[in-house]
Amino acid sequence: MIDFCGIELAHPIINASGTFDAVAARRAFGDALIEHFPFAAFVSKTVTVAPRQGNPPPRLWELPAGLMNSIGLPNKGLEGYLAHDLPELARLPVPLIVNVMGFSRDEVARLVRAFAQRDEVAALELNVSCPNVETGLVMGADPDEVARLMSAVRPLTAKPLIVKLTPNASDVPAVALAAERAGASAVSLVNTVRGMAIHPRTGEPWLGGTTGGVSGPAVRAIALAQVRSVADAVDIPVIGMGGVSHGRHAHDLMGAGAALVAVGTESFRDPSAGARIASELALAGNPEPTHPIIPGRGWPGSNADRDDLIDEVKSPCKPK
Ligand code: RRO
């Protein structure tokens, strides 16, 4: 068991908010998926105070190495979530982390106050990093704004408060440090990286929301660098995410300082990816080497089965 901010977790793999609909998954895959739940905790899709329709379509654009979304936070709003979603999600066999977003400090405070009362909720994740809001305002890009927000909501609950950071900021560790100093229990990163696609015929933006958030393998290297710089800057736990599709990516993020790792885009391809990645991660610390390690070039033990190392071993053209 892992202790994360006082919450007991069976392993370090959780889902990234908004990438796994546990209620729909139960309908589509039956109770088996729920019984063998792929994640050690469930992070719900973002809840806002008022119900939202989300952005106009198209909402997705596939990339050579990932996905770009402009979903725009569709949700039933706080009242709808409490009445309909929470009772369903409370039946999951793992702790529930509710992701919330407000368009002002008062709205975030209202959300935190509401969930502070609910025993079904183990922790809250404050989404200060959605790239897909009409205002273009991303609270989480400014350390002072994040500090003001945390100071306002920290006194409202004893539950762990996780601040979800944006990669679209000039100094991400400074934002993380501001969150920590104002009482955050943990930080999570990266949310998606802002991007854009052009309609091939009209020349207009493809996405209904004009810009979107890039996720998947395309952002893995960015996530790794940002997780490392944030983990170096703060003492609170870091949840690392960004392009994780194999246990060794999770292993890398943990090596960079992440206490937990979240899986996002890969779950769209394979709803049980979380469970697979958790077992691959368990093996990553103790791999059976499957090929020779080049003397002086091999990474120590656990990193033996790198794709690039495999390429190096196979390549007949590389100088020895
Ligand atoms: O709903 C979204 O468009 C969305 C959210 Br809330 C978020 O945090 N990150 C993202 O890529 N999309």
Side-chain angles (χ1 to χ4, degrees):
M1 281 287 176
I2 296 170
D3 181 306
F4 173 76
C5 300
I7 307 166
E8 287 212 331
L9 302 180
H11 58 77
I13 303 298
I14 65 172
N15 66 300
S17 170
T19 59
F20 188 89
D21 183 337
V23 177
R26 183 200 295 272
R27 274 199 302 271
F29 300 101
D31 285 341
L33 186 77
I34 304 301
E35 276 156 29
H36 304 281
F37 201 66
F39 304 107
F42 179 71
V43 185
S44 77
K45 170 86 182 139
T46 304
V47 186
T48 54
V49 170
R52 287 174 59 89
Q53 293 292 326
N55 287 342
R59 291 175 167 182
L60 292 176
W61 174 266
E62 207 176 327
L63 294 159
L67 188 66
M68 183 157 51
N69 84 82
S70 179
I71 308 297
L73 302 109
N75 76 102
K76 301 183 182 110
L78 177 59
E79 295 311 321
Y81 185 90
L82 291 173
H84 304 291
D85 294 356
L86 190 56
E88 288 274 347
L89 298 176
R91 292 167 54 207
L92 296 176
V94 295
L96 173 64
I97 300 174
V98 177
N99 180 300
V100 298
M101 178 177 155
F103 292 90
S104 64
R105 280 199 292 283
D106 282 352
E107 278 198 3
V108 182
R110 198 168 146 198
L111 291 155
V112 170
R113 236 184 253 113
F115 288 111
Q117 319 294 328
R118 307 301 298 243
D119 290 343
E120 307 94 312
V121 177
L124 290 170
E125 185 173 57
L126 308 182
N127 188 355
V128 294
S129 52
C130 176
N132 298 329
V133 285
E134 312 84 343
T135 57
L137 173 95
V138 180
M139 254 186 217
D142 176 11
D144 294 338
E145 191 56 45
V146 167
R148 276 192 291 274
L149 174 69
M150 271 311 302
S151 307
V153 300
R154 183 64 281 182
L156 304 179
T157 180
K159 292 189 196 293
L161 291 177
I162 305 159
V163 177
K164 177 121 181 218
L165 302 171
T166 175
N168 308 308
S170 54
D171 191 347
V172 183
V175 180
L177 201 54
E180 177 181 43
R181 288 187 177 143
S185 321
V187 289
S188 54
L189 74 157
V190 293
N191 205 323
T192 50
V193 177
R194 194 185 294 277
M196 192 174 178
I198 298 298
H199 192 296
R201 280 191 302 278
T202 66
E204 296 296 316
W206 171 268
L207 293 168
T210 308
T211 60
V214 177
S215 63
V219 308
R220 193 185 305 135
I222 298 168
L224 191 58
Q226 294 206 359
V227 164
R228 192 173 77 156
S229 61
V230 164
D232 284 350
V234 298
D235 290 324
I236 51 177
V238 174
I239 304 175
M241 71 195 89
V244 172
S245 62
H246 190 280
R248 71 175 181 270
H249 306 145
H251 187 251
D252 289 349
L253 282 170
M254 295 180 85
L260 302 181
V261 170
V263 174
T265 307
E266 181 67 5
S267 295
F268 292 125
R269 209 182 57 74
D270 170 11
S272 59
R276 171 179 57 75
I277 290 167
S279 18
E280 289 162 352
L281 174 64
L283 291 174
N286 244 329
E288 288 294 316
T290 53
H291 51 77
I293 296 175
I294 300 169
R297 290 297 311 277
W299 286 266
S302 59
N303 293 326
D305 64 343
R306 300 277 155 167
D307 294 342
D308 45 358
L309 180 56
I310 292 170
D311 287 340
E312 190 159 3
V313 172
K314 282 185 190 151
S315 166
C317 305
K318 290 242 170 91
K320 293 276 179 268

